[in-house]
Amino acid sequence: MVSALAWVAIGLAVGGVVGSLLPAVPGAALSFAGILVYWWSTGYTDPSPVVLVGFALVAGVAAVVDLAGSAVAVRAGGASPLTAGVALVAGLVLGLVTGPLGFVLGIAGAAFAVEYYRTGEREASGRAALYATVGVLGSAVVQVLLTLSLLVGIVVVVVR
């Protein structure tokens, strides 16, 4: 029989997967919080310390991807650090107002606008916007896969 706290842990891990798709929701932290709830509920015995460290590393990678993925992509497209920062802020603001689509469009639009203002070059600005968009979508996919692996991991630990 699965305990109530095990269900809470699984629910938090599910919330982490969903949160990894939403702007300003720390999906990896939610998933790892669920794992810690379950660990606490077992008297710190299950999962083992080695497995817990593995979960922590996966959650840490997911958090880094969440925080840095789009900024790294904007920089890879040749944009300035200013462009990366403005694009991230614009994406967060629009994402909070309109959801995930606004997040993506805010980043792409801001990357294009700031780079165009800065350089006056349409092609370079378009490249920055494209890299930003691909980076945001790519980091979302990576986050979903990582938080999904945390969910599967905690379900396996609970059910075994």
Side-chain angles (χ1 to χ4, degrees), residues 70-72 74-75 79-89 107 111 114-115:
S70 58
V72 168
V74 171
R75 293 285 296 138
S80 70
L82 172 67
T83 300
V86 170
L88 182 60
V89 170
I107 286 179
V114 172
E115 276 303 294

Side-chain angles (χ1 to χ4, degrees), residues 7-74:
W7 284 113
V8 169
I10 291 169
L12 284 168
V14 168
V17 174
V18 173
S20 67
L21 289 170
L22 301 173
V25 177
L30 276 175
S31 293
F32 192 65
I35 292 165
L36 291 176
V37 164
Y38 182 73
W39 186 56
W40 172 76
S41 77
T42 66
Y44 307 107
T45 60
D46 194 30
S48 71
V50 171
V51 173
L52 188 66
V53 167
F55 282 142
L57 290 173
V58 171
V61 169
V64 167
V65 168
D66 184 20
L67 294 172
S70 58
V72 168
V74 171

Side-chain angles (χ1 to χ4, degrees), residues 92-114:
L92 286 173
V93 169
L94 282 174
L96 290 173
V97 174
T98 62
L101 181 62
F103 182 68
V104 172
L105 293 176
I107 286 179
F112 182 86
V114 172

